[in-house]
Amino acid sequence: MSAPDKERRRPLALTMGDAAGIGPELSLQAWKDRFTDRLPAFVLYADIELMRAAARAAGIDDKVIVPVTDISAAADVFRDSLPVLSIPLAEPAKPGSPSVRNGPATISAIRSAVADVAAGHASAVVTNPIAKSVLYGAGFEFPGHTEYLGALAAEFWPGEPSEPVMMLASSKLRVVPLTIHVPLKDVPALLTADKIIKTARIMAASLRRDFGIENPRIAVAGLNPHAGEDGALGSEDAEIIRPAIEALRAEGLDVTGPHAADTMFHDAARKTYDAALAMYHDQGLIPIKTLAFDEGVNATIGLPFVRTSPDHGTAFAIAGKGVASATSLKAALKLAGEMVARRLSAAAS
């Protein structure tokens, strides 16, 4: 087997997320649909008994849950069984009832998955949803997945550029929020031309490398209604956002704006760009969750490794009831596989 073929056979590293959420059952559902949806092979970082219980609850023989220690063997196991790398919980998980005591296992699954990608055993990280409030009680010191992954990248890939940026992607829209989990009242003070320029550069690089778009087009949203309406509705659009766009265009990037956010997400407008840069969380996430609630994927770009995740939360209210949709997780697995393949092809050329 050639080196590129060996690279392509490396499985994805899928983390369990919060053990009391829908991650375990979604992982099992994705494995069940592996052939019909043509999913890449993955190994699940989770508690063995947690997954056996999830299998029984779904009416599946729990013998399909196969513990593995050799990640390289997961691709062979995957055809007939769900390979699980053991991440023991402190106590049995009850669907819908998260436990702070199991928080360290959630964190350990993420760290172990990233470590295996760094070591060359797995090809990319795909994460099931976590509950940040639960992890904070377990000593988690990061605002969320994105920031923790950035810290792990700096640890495992020292010296390599690492500026994690959250992109929400679907077949209908790709969007990056410039500011994420901050109060709306704090957003204007956080906007800088430098931040816009850096983020747009990362977006352009990812669109080329990870999405195969040779000449990416980026549309930048304004902050204020009607993009400030020539200063009548705020000065940030003219004083911060527009100069950043002009600087990016001077670099040769195809960047337009600032656009009025209320008119840049309809069908015709979306055909004019490959990704949108929103100024704050809801400005970007409301459109994509309206257009592609089930199929949206959270992709962390700007990292030295590929990471994707379903674009939804732990859904404790429906955990264990067998009604959660695995569509977004399956889309995340597919996108991770596609991103890895594009990076490998680019490296080989």
Side-chain angles (χ1 to χ4, degrees), residues 87-343:
I87 304 290
L89 296 174
E91 63 185 28
K94 180 181 178 182
S97 299
S99 169
V100 170
R101 290 194 64 209
N102 284 333
T106 304
I107 299 167
S108 177
I110 301 168
R111 180 181 179 81
S112 297
V114 173
D116 279 339
V117 172
H121 303 316
S123 60
V125 175
V126 181
T127 58
N128 268 302
I130 59 174
K132 292 185 285 291
S133 60
V134 176
L135 296 188
Y136 295 154
F140 192 63
E141 299 177 349
F142 301 89
H145 257 134
T146 302
E147 295 81 5
Y148 184 43
L149 291 165
L152 291 175
E155 177 182 347
F156 289 111
W157 286 267
E160 290 198 31
S162 177
E163 295 185 74
V165 168
M166 185 174 79
M167 173 185 283
L168 286 304
S170 75
S171 61
K172 296 180 180 179
L173 174 66
R174 301 182 194 93
V175 63
V176 167
L178 187 72
T179 59
I180 308 176
H181 298 124
V182 298
L184 188 58
K185 65 181 177 60
D186 295 340
V187 169
L190 295 173
L191 297 187
T192 66
D194 184 57
K195 186 175 180 65
I196 293 169
I197 291 168
K198 285 184 177 179
T199 303
R201 286 172 179 164
I202 292 169
M203 291 172 66
S206 178
L207 289 168
R208 293 190 196 99
R209 179 174 61 170
D210 298 324
F211 295 89
I213 301 171
E214 186 174 350
N215 297 301
R217 303 165 299 165
I218 297 172
V220 180
L223 171 68
N224 298 294
H226 304 171
E229 201 160 297
D230 297 324
L233 299 176
S235 61
E236 293 88 354
D237 302 275
E239 295 178 1
I240 299 173
I241 302 173
R242 190 176 299 281
I245 293 171
E246 291 172 354
L248 289 162
R249 292 183 64 82
E251 295 178 8
L253 296 178
D254 188 348
V255 182
T256 59
H259 298 283
D262 63 345
T263 58
M264 66 179 286
F265 294 108
H266 61 80
D267 288 349
R270 295 198 313 277
K271 293 176 182 178
T272 66
Y273 58 82
D274 300 300
L277 176 56
M279 293 299 104
Y280 55 92
H281 184 278
D282 285 9
Q283 188 184 58
L285 270 67
I286 288 174
I288 192 166
K289 290 193 176 185
T290 300
L291 291 165
F293 185 79
D294 287 325
E295 64 169 295
V297 175
N298 180 346
T300 306
I301 60 176
L303 293 173
F305 64 96
V306 170
R307 179 266 178 159
T308 64
S309 177
D311 182 23
H312 58 66
T314 52
F316 291 129
I318 61 171
K321 297 181 179 179
V323 297
S325 170
T327 302
S328 185
L329 175 59
K330 291 187 284 188
L333 291 163
K334 283 184 178 180
L335 180 58
E338 292 166 0
M339 292 170 72
V340 167
R342 290 191 183 102
R343 292 191 182 193

